[in-house]
Amino acid sequence: MGHTLFAVGRDFYQAGRFGDAASVWKEAAIKGHADSQAWLGALYASGEGVGIDYAKALSWFLHAADQGNLFAQNNAASFYWEGKGTNVDLEKALHWFERAEAGGDVYASVNLGMIFYKGQQVVADHERAFRHFYRGAEAGSPLAQLRLGWMYLHGEGVEASRKKAFVWLSMASTHGCGSALEQLGEIVEAMSREEKASASVALQVLRQRLK
């Protein structure tokens, strides 16, 4: 029943009938359907079909997050991080980001990487940031791949490697990342013929592995 109601709500949402979507999703959410809870939370966060209410948004995100919904876990983490609908709570924010990352959410990996790379409300830790970016990069996030390439290039949190920087920046550039293309030009210019050949092979191996 919950899945059926969620699908009806999704059709309403895609048709721009946000109020109807909210009503249907609320019915399913009350019955415990995680996706409906997550998207109802998103409506309260955006004000589509309902009045903006961050406290209600967080409450529904948490209901869904407890059931393993990655979208809700990442959003609950962001709300605790920013203090939306609640007081700022870094411990809970990190908890939900890490739960989402453990479930395979690439956005959570990027968020955690940025937090520890920049030292946002925590002590900067480039080694920890590298681990989060690496996980996101392996999962296909262009932003994580860009950051990983940058860290390899400059030896931040990891031993510097022009070859590995080339590989990850090349991966990011395939998604149209302009800054990756700029950095690649500088790297290639500084590479020897042997380095270019070795890096090209490594790139092909990675592409095959991540297919």
Side-chain angles (χ1 to χ4, degrees), residues 146-185:
L146 172 65
R147 288 289 178 175
L148 198 64
W150 176 268
M151 295 183 82
Y152 270 124
L153 182 61
H154 297 280
E156 295 178 333
V158 67
E159 184 178 351
S161 171
R162 193 158 53 191
K163 174 180 171 180
K164 291 180 179 179
F166 171 87
V167 169
W168 285 109
L169 290 172
S170 294
M171 292 295 292
S173 71
T174 61
H175 299 283
C177 184
S179 53
L181 286 168
E182 292 175 9
Q183 293 175 59
L184 272 173

mmCIF file of all heavy atoms in Angstrom, residues 146-185:
data_model
loop_
_atom_site.group_PDB
_atom_site.id
_atom_site.type_symbol
_atom_site.label_atom_id
_atom_site.label_comp_id
_atom_site.label_asym_id
_atom_site.label_seq_id
_atom_site.Cartn_x
_atom_site.Cartn_y
_atom_site.Cartn_z
ATOM 1 N N LEU A 146 37.503 15.186 -8.729
ATOM 2 C CA LEU A 146 38.258 16.438 -8.867
ATOM 3 C C LEU A 146 39.084 16.698 -7.616
ATOM 4 O O LEU A 146 40.287 17.012 -7.691
ATOM 5 C CB LEU A 146 37.297 17.601 -9.117
ATOM 6 C CG LEU A 146 37.903 19.003 -9.094
ATOM 7 C CD1 LEU A 146 38.886 19.191 -10.242
ATOM 8 C CD2 LEU A 146 36.794 20.059 -9.155
ATOM 9 N N ARG A 147 38.458 16.589 -6.464
ATOM 10 C CA ARG A 147 39.149 16.849 -5.201
ATOM 11 C C ARG A 147 40.269 15.836 -4.969
ATOM 12 O O ARG A 147 41.343 16.175 -4.477
ATOM 13 C CB ARG A 147 38.146 16.807 -4.048
ATOM 14 C CG ARG A 147 37.205 17.988 -4.010
ATOM 15 C CD ARG A 147 37.936 19.243 -3.596
ATOM 16 N NE ARG A 147 37.067 20.414 -3.602
ATOM 17 C CZ ARG A 147 37.441 21.612 -3.195
ATOM 18 N NH1 ARG A 147 38.677 21.790 -2.726
ATOM 19 N NH2 ARG A 147 36.619 22.633 -3.238
ATOM 20 N N LEU A 148 40.011 14.589 -5.323
ATOM 21 C CA LEU A 148 41.010 13.552 -5.139
ATOM 22 C C LEU A 148 42.227 13.839 -6.021
ATOM 23 O O LEU A 148 43.376 13.713 -5.579
ATOM 24 C CB LEU A 148 40.411 12.192 -5.494
ATOM 25 C CG LEU A 148 41.137 10.954 -4.976
ATOM 26 C CD1 LEU A 148 41.121 10.925 -3.452
ATOM 27 C CD2 LEU A 148 40.498 9.700 -5.538
ATOM 28 N N GLY A 149 41.971 14.229 -7.265
ATOM 29 C CA GLY A 149 43.068 14.574 -8.161
ATOM 30 C C GLY A 149 43.894 15.730 -7.628
ATOM 31 O O GLY A 149 45.131 15.715 -7.680
ATOM 32 N N TRP A 150 43.211 16.730 -7.089
ATOM 33 C CA TRP A 150 43.893 17.889 -6.514
ATOM 34 C C TRP A 150 44.769 17.470 -5.342
ATOM 35 O O TRP A 150 45.910 17.922 -5.206
ATOM 36 C CB TRP A 150 42.856 18.910 -6.062
ATOM 37 C CG TRP A 150 43.424 20.101 -5.360
ATOM 38 C CD1 TRP A 150 43.604 20.243 -4.015
ATOM 39 C CD2 TRP A 150 43.910 21.305 -5.961
ATOM 40 N NE1 TRP A 150 44.163 21.455 -3.728
ATOM 41 C CE2 TRP A 150 44.367 22.140 -4.904
ATOM 42 C CE3 TRP A 150 43.999 21.761 -7.263
ATOM 43 C CZ2 TRP A 150 44.898 23.410 -5.132
ATOM 44 C CZ3 TRP A 150 44.529 23.037 -7.493
ATOM 45 C CH2 TRP A 150 44.973 23.830 -6.431
ATOM 46 N N MET A 151 44.249 16.584 -4.487
ATOM 47 C CA MET A 151 45.003 16.161 -3.311
ATOM 48 C C MET A 151 46.220 15.331 -3.703
ATOM 49 O O MET A 151 47.287 15.452 -3.096
ATOM 50 C CB MET A 151 44.084 15.409 -2.340
ATOM 51 C CG MET A 151 42.981 16.285 -1.769
ATOM 52 S SD MET A 151 41.903 15.472 -0.558
ATOM 53 C CE MET A 151 42.917 15.627 0.930
ATOM 54 N N TYR A 152 46.064 14.490 -4.719
ATOM 55 C CA TYR A 152 47.230 13.744 -5.217
ATOM 56 C C TYR A 152 48.258 14.691 -5.830
ATOM 57 O O TYR A 152 49.469 14.506 -5.661
ATOM 58 C CB TYR A 152 46.792 12.728 -6.270
ATOM 59 C CG TYR A 152 46.432 11.372 -5.720
ATOM 60 C CD1 TYR A 152 45.170 10.810 -5.966
ATOM 61 C CD2 TYR A 152 47.340 10.628 -4.974
ATOM 62 C CE1 TYR A 152 44.834 9.548 -5.474
ATOM 63 C CE2 TYR A 152 47.020 9.372 -4.478
ATOM 64 C CZ TYR A 152 45.757 8.847 -4.732
ATOM 65 O OH TYR A 152 45.448 7.604 -4.236
ATOM 66 N N LEU A 153 47.793 15.700 -6.514
ATOM 67 C CA LEU A 153 48.702 16.630 -7.170
ATOM 68 C C LEU A 153 49.532 17.409 -6.160
ATOM 69 O O LEU A 153 50.737 17.630 -6.351
ATOM 70 C CB LEU A 153 47.908 17.602 -8.059
ATOM 71 C CG LEU A 153 48.723 18.623 -8.855
ATOM 72 C CD1 LEU A 153 49.668 17.927 -9.828
ATOM 73 C CD2 LEU A 153 47.780 19.571 -9.609
ATOM 74 N N HIS A 154 48.899 17.798 -5.059
ATOM 75 C CA HIS A 154 49.564 18.660 -4.077
ATOM 76 C C HIS A 154 50.016 17.918 -2.824
ATOM 77 O O HIS A 154 50.554 18.541 -1.893
ATOM 78 C CB HIS A 154 48.642 19.818 -3.704
ATOM 79 C CG HIS A 154 48.328 20.724 -4.854
ATOM 80 N ND1 HIS A 154 49.192 21.703 -5.293
ATOM 81 C CD2 HIS A 154 47.263 20.768 -5.687
ATOM 82 C CE1 HIS A 154 48.672 22.332 -6.325
ATOM 83 N NE2 HIS A 154 47.504 21.784 -6.599
ATOM 84 N N GLY A 155 49.803 16.609 -2.787
ATOM 85 C CA GLY A 155 50.245 15.839 -1.626
ATOM 86 C C GLY A 155 49.523 16.209 -0.350
ATOM 87 O O GLY A 155 50.123 16.275 0.719
ATOM 88 N N GLU A 156 48.212 16.437 -0.449
ATOM 89 C CA GLU A 156 47.423 16.809 0.723
ATOM 90 C C GLU A 156 46.699 15.580 1.264
ATOM 91 O O GLU A 156 45.784 15.058 0.640
ATOM 92 C CB GLU A 156 46.410 17.891 0.354
ATOM 93 C CG GLU A 156 47.057 19.193 -0.067
ATOM 94 C CD GLU A 156 46.048 20.239 -0.472
ATOM 95 O OE1 GLU A 156 44.939 19.873 -0.919
ATOM 96 O OE2 GLU A 156 46.361 21.430 -0.359
ATOM 97 N N GLY A 157 47.145 15.089 2.409
ATOM 98 C CA GLY A 157 46.532 13.922 3.026
ATOM 99 C C GLY A 157 46.982 12.613 2.419
ATOM 100 O O GLY A 157 46.523 11.547 2.836
ATOM 101 N N VAL A 158 47.868 12.694 1.438
ATOM 102 C CA VAL A 158 48.359 11.503 0.753
ATOM 103 C C VAL A 158 49.677 11.859 0.081
ATOM 104 O O VAL A 158 49.964 13.040 -0.149
ATOM 105 C CB VAL A 158 47.318 11.028 -0.307
ATOM 106 C CG1 VAL A 158 47.201 12.053 -1.425
ATOM 107 C CG2 VAL A 158 47.650 9.657 -0.840
ATOM 108 N N GLU A 159 50.482 10.855 -0.211
ATOM 109 C CA GLU A 159 51.743 11.124 -0.903
ATOM 110 C C GLU A 159 51.452 11.663 -2.307
ATOM 111 O O GLU A 159 50.603 11.118 -3.024
ATOM 112 C CB GLU A 159 52.564 9.843 -1.009
ATOM 113 C CG GLU A 159 53.943 10.043 -1.637
ATOM 114 C CD GLU A 159 54.756 8.770 -1.679
ATOM 115 O OE1 GLU A 159 54.322 7.768 -1.069
ATOM 116 O OE2 GLU A 159 55.825 8.772 -2.327
ATOM 117 N N ALA A 160 52.128 12.725 -2.676
ATOM 118 C CA ALA A 160 51.911 13.342 -3.984
ATOM 119 C C ALA A 160 52.205 12.358 -5.105
ATOM 120 O O ALA A 160 53.172 11.596 -5.041
ATOM 121 C CB ALA A 160 52.770 14.590 -4.135
ATOM 122 N N SER A 161 51.358 12.376 -6.130
ATOM 123 C CA SER A 161 51.548 11.499 -7.284
ATOM 124 C C SER A 161 50.963 12.186 -8.507
ATOM 125 O O SER A 161 49.733 12.321 -8.623
ATOM 126 C CB SER A 161 50.871 10.139 -7.071
ATOM 127 O OG SER A 161 50.883 9.387 -8.279
ATOM 128 N N ARG A 162 51.816 12.627 -9.396
ATOM 129 C CA ARG A 162 51.354 13.288 -10.614
ATOM 130 C C ARG A 162 50.547 12.318 -11.478
ATOM 131 O O ARG A 162 49.559 12.690 -12.107
ATOM 132 C CB ARG A 162 52.552 13.843 -11.387
ATOM 133 C CG ARG A 162 52.193 14.812 -12.484
ATOM 134 C CD ARG A 162 53.359 15.710 -12.828
ATOM 135 N NE ARG A 162 54.573 14.966 -13.128
ATOM 136 C CZ ARG A 162 55.777 15.529 -13.242
ATOM 137 N NH1 ARG A 162 55.905 16.841 -13.063
ATOM 138 N NH2 ARG A 162 56.844 14.803 -13.525
ATOM 139 N N LYS A 163 50.978 11.063 -11.482
ATOM 140 C CA LYS A 163 50.286 10.042 -12.255
ATOM 141 C C LYS A 163 48.856 9.838 -11.751
ATOM 142 O O LYS A 163 47.893 9.826 -12.541
ATOM 143 C CB LYS A 163 51.065 8.724 -12.167
ATOM 144 C CG LYS A 163 50.381 7.531 -12.813
ATOM 145 C CD LYS A 163 51.254 6.283 -12.647
ATOM 146 C CE LYS A 163 50.543 5.022 -13.079
ATOM 147 N NZ LYS A 163 51.404 3.825 -12.922
ATOM 148 N N LYS A 164 48.688 9.683 -10.443
ATOM 149 C CA LYS A 164 47.353 9.472 -9.888
ATOM 150 C C LYS A 164 46.502 10.733 -10.009
ATOM 151 O O LYS A 164 45.274 10.645 -10.204
ATOM 152 C CB LYS A 164 47.454 9.001 -8.441
ATOM 153 C CG LYS A 164 48.031 7.602 -8.311
ATOM 154 C CD LYS A 164 48.132 7.145 -6.862
ATOM 155 C CE LYS A 164 48.696 5.728 -6.775
ATOM 156 N NZ LYS A 164 48.837 5.274 -5.367
ATOM 157 N N ALA A 165 47.144 11.887 -9.903
ATOM 158 C CA ALA A 165 46.412 13.139 -10.113
ATOM 159 C C ALA A 165 45.860 13.178 -11.541
ATOM 160 O O ALA A 165 44.698 13.544 -11.766
ATOM 161 C CB ALA A 165 47.326 14.335 -9.867
ATOM 162 N N PHE A 166 46.696 12.791 -12.495
ATOM 163 C CA PHE A 166 46.263 12.742 -13.899
ATOM 164 C C PHE A 166 45.064 11.813 -14.069
ATOM 165 O O PHE A 166 44.079 12.158 -14.746
ATOM 166 C CB PHE A 166 47.418 12.259 -14.779
ATOM 167 C CG PHE A 166 47.021 11.968 -16.200
ATOM 168 C CD1 PHE A 166 47.026 12.970 -17.154
ATOM 169 C CD2 PHE A 166 46.640 10.678 -16.579
ATOM 170 C CE1 PHE A 166 46.630 12.702 -18.465
ATOM 171 C CE2 PHE A 166 46.257 10.407 -17.886
ATOM 172 C CZ PHE A 166 46.251 11.422 -18.829
ATOM 173 N N VAL A 167 45.139 10.643 -13.450
ATOM 174 C CA VAL A 167 44.077 9.641 -13.592
ATOM 175 C C VAL A 167 42.745 10.175 -13.076
ATOM 176 O O VAL A 167 41.720 10.125 -13.771
ATOM 177 C CB VAL A 167 44.459 8.344 -12.859
ATOM 178 C CG1 VAL A 167 43.259 7.403 -12.757
ATOM 179 C CG2 VAL A 167 45.610 7.654 -13.589
ATOM 180 N N TRP A 168 42.744 10.714 -11.856
ATOM 181 C CA TRP A 168 41.480 11.147 -11.264
ATOM 182 C C TRP A 168 40.959 12.440 -11.875
ATOM 183 O O TRP A 168 39.738 12.609 -12.029
ATOM 184 C CB TRP A 168 41.616 11.261 -9.752
ATOM 185 C CG TRP A 168 41.638 9.911 -9.101
ATOM 186 C CD1 TRP A 168 42.704 9.292 -8.515
ATOM 187 C CD2 TRP A 168 40.555 8.978 -9.029
ATOM 188 N NE1 TRP A 168 42.354 8.051 -8.072
ATOM 189 C CE2 TRP A 168 41.037 7.817 -8.366
ATOM 190 C CE3 TRP A 168 39.222 9.003 -9.450
ATOM 191 C CZ2 TRP A 168 40.229 6.717 -8.119
ATOM 192 C CZ3 TRP A 168 38.418 7.891 -9.211
ATOM 193 C CH2 TRP A 168 38.918 6.774 -8.547
ATOM 194 N N LEU A 169 41.836 13.327 -12.254
ATOM 195 C CA LEU A 169 41.380 14.549 -12.920
ATOM 196 C C LEU A 169 40.832 14.222 -14.305
ATOM 197 O O LEU A 169 39.881 14.865 -14.776
ATOM 198 C CB LEU A 169 42.524 15.560 -13.018
ATOM 199 C CG LEU A 169 42.951 16.184 -11.692
ATOM 200 C CD1 LEU A 169 44.215 17.026 -11.865
ATOM 201 C CD2 LEU A 169 41.821 17.061 -11.119
ATOM 202 N N SER A 170 41.400 13.223 -14.943
ATOM 203 C CA SER A 170 40.866 12.779 -16.235
ATOM 204 C C SER A 170 39.462 12.219 -16.074
ATOM 205 O O SER A 170 38.579 12.473 -16.902
ATOM 206 C CB SER A 170 41.781 11.721 -16.854
ATOM 207 O OG SER A 170 43.036 12.250 -17.192
ATOM 208 N N MET A 171 39.253 11.457 -15.000
ATOM 209 C CA MET A 171 37.910 10.927 -14.733
ATOM 210 C C MET A 171 36.914 12.065 -14.519
ATOM 211 O O MET A 171 35.800 12.039 -15.048
ATOM 212 C CB MET A 171 37.941 10.015 -13.505
ATOM 213 C CG MET A 171 38.710 8.711 -13.706
ATOM 214 S SD MET A 171 37.950 7.600 -14.923
ATOM 215 C CE MET A 171 36.441 7.139 -14.049
ATOM 216 N N ALA A 172 37.327 13.072 -13.755
ATOM 217 C CA ALA A 172 36.438 14.210 -13.502
ATOM 218 C C ALA A 172 36.158 14.984 -14.785
ATOM 219 O O ALA A 172 35.046 15.471 -15.009
ATOM 220 C CB ALA A 172 37.055 15.131 -12.446
ATOM 221 N N SER A 173 37.161 15.100 -15.645
ATOM 222 C CA SER A 173 37.011 15.886 -16.872
ATOM 223 C C SER A 173 36.014 15.261 -17.840
ATOM 224 O O SER A 173 35.407 15.962 -18.648
ATOM 225 C CB SER A 173 38.363 16.062 -17.563
ATOM 226 O OG SER A 173 38.808 14.839 -18.133
ATOM 227 N N THR A 174 35.832 13.937 -17.759
ATOM 228 C CA THR A 174 34.875 13.285 -18.655
ATOM 229 C C THR A 174 33.447 13.703 -18.347
ATOM 230 O O THR A 174 32.547 13.503 -19.168
ATOM 231 C CB THR A 174 34.976 11.746 -18.561
ATOM 232 O OG1 THR A 174 34.669 11.321 -17.230
ATOM 233 C CG2 THR A 174 36.373 11.274 -18.946
ATOM 234 N N HIS A 175 33.240 14.290 -17.170
ATOM 235 C CA HIS A 175 31.917 14.783 -16.792
ATOM 236 C C HIS A 175 31.787 16.283 -17.063
ATOM 237 O O HIS A 175 30.848 16.928 -16.599
ATOM 238 C CB HIS A 175 31.650 14.506 -15.309
ATOM 239 C CG HIS A 175 31.675 13.056 -14.953
ATOM 240 N ND1 HIS A 175 30.642 12.185 -15.224
ATOM 241 C CD2 HIS A 175 32.635 12.297 -14.360
ATOM 242 C CE1 HIS A 175 30.935 10.969 -14.802
ATOM 243 N NE2 HIS A 175 32.143 11.004 -14.274
ATOM 244 N N GLY A 176 32.763 16.835 -17.805
ATOM 245 C CA GLY A 176 32.695 18.250 -18.172
ATOM 246 C C GLY A 176 33.191 19.196 -17.104
ATOM 247 O O GLY A 176 32.825 20.380 -17.097
ATOM 248 N N CYS A 177 34.017 18.717 -16.202
ATOM 249 C CA CYS A 177 34.540 19.568 -15.123
ATOM 250 C C CYS A 177 35.665 20.450 -15.665
ATOM 251 O O CYS A 177 36.776 19.977 -15.932
ATOM 252 C CB CYS A 177 35.041 18.691 -13.981
ATOM 253 S SG CYS A 177 35.592 19.611 -12.550
ATOM 254 N N GLY A 178 35.371 21.731 -15.853
ATOM 255 C CA GLY A 178 36.327 22.652 -16.458
ATOM 256 C C GLY A 178 37.620 22.802 -15.685
ATOM 257 O O GLY A 178 38.702 22.848 -16.279
ATOM 258 N N SER A 179 37.528 22.883 -14.358
ATOM 259 C CA SER A 179 38.735 23.083 -13.559
ATOM 260 C C SER A 179 39.650 21.863 -13.641
ATOM 261 O O SER A 179 40.876 21.981 -13.554
ATOM 262 C CB SER A 179 38.378 23.373 -12.098
ATOM 263 O OG SER A 179 37.534 22.385 -11.575
ATOM 264 N N ALA A 180 39.056 20.671 -13.835
ATOM 265 C CA ALA A 180 39.872 19.465 -14.002
ATOM 266 C C ALA A 180 40.651 19.538 -15.304
ATOM 267 O O ALA A 180 41.828 19.174 -15.365
ATOM 268 C CB ALA A 180 38.978 18.218 -13.990
ATOM 269 N N LEU A 181 40.011 20.021 -16.347
ATOM 270 C CA LEU A 181 40.675 20.153 -17.645
ATOM 271 C C LEU A 181 41.848 21.119 -17.568
ATOM 272 O O LEU A 181 42.915 20.881 -18.144
ATOM 273 C CB LEU A 181 39.673 20.631 -18.698
ATOM 274 C CG LEU A 181 38.655 19.586 -19.172
ATOM 275 C CD1 LEU A 181 37.553 20.256 -19.990
ATOM 276 C CD2 LEU A 181 39.345 18.506 -19.994
ATOM 277 N N GLU A 182 41.664 22.221 -16.838
ATOM 278 C CA GLU A 182 42.733 23.207 -16.697
ATOM 279 C C GLU A 182 43.948 22.593 -15.997
ATOM 280 O O GLU A 182 45.084 22.772 -16.433
ATOM 281 C CB GLU A 182 42.226 24.413 -15.908
ATOM 282 C CG GLU A 182 41.175 25.233 -16.643
ATOM 283 C CD GLU A 182 40.620 26.349 -15.783
ATOM 284 O OE1 GLU A 182 41.179 26.583 -14.682
ATOM 285 O OE2 GLU A 182 39.619 26.969 -16.185
ATOM 286 N N GLN A 183 43.700 21.884 -14.916
ATOM 287 C CA GLN A 183 44.800 21.278 -14.171
ATOM 288 C C GLN A 183 45.477 20.168 -14.975
ATOM 289 O O GLN A 183 46.689 19.982 -14.897
ATOM 290 C CB GLN A 183 44.278 20.720 -12.846
ATOM 291 C CG GLN A 183 43.809 21.808 -11.881
ATOM 292 C CD GLN A 183 43.183 21.248 -10.628
ATOM 293 O OE1 GLN A 183 43.810 20.502 -9.888
ATOM 294 N NE2 GLN A 183 41.932 21.596 -10.382
ATOM 295 N N LEU A 184 44.674 19.445 -15.760
ATOM 296 C CA LEU A 184 45.241 18.379 -16.579
ATOM 297 C C LEU A 184 46.248 18.927 -17.579
ATOM 298 O O LEU A 184 47.294 18.318 -17.819
ATOM 299 C CB LEU A 184 44.126 17.644 -17.333
ATOM 300 C CG LEU A 184 43.460 16.485 -16.610
ATOM 301 C CD1 LEU A 184 42.268 15.978 -17.417
ATOM 302 C CD2 LEU A 184 44.442 15.358 -16.354
ATOM 303 N N GLY A 185 45.923 20.072 -18.155
ATOM 304 C CA GLY A 185 46.833 20.670 -19.122
ATOM 305 C C GLY A 185 48.198 20.936 -18.518
ATOM 306 O O GLY A 185 49.233 20.671 -19.145
#
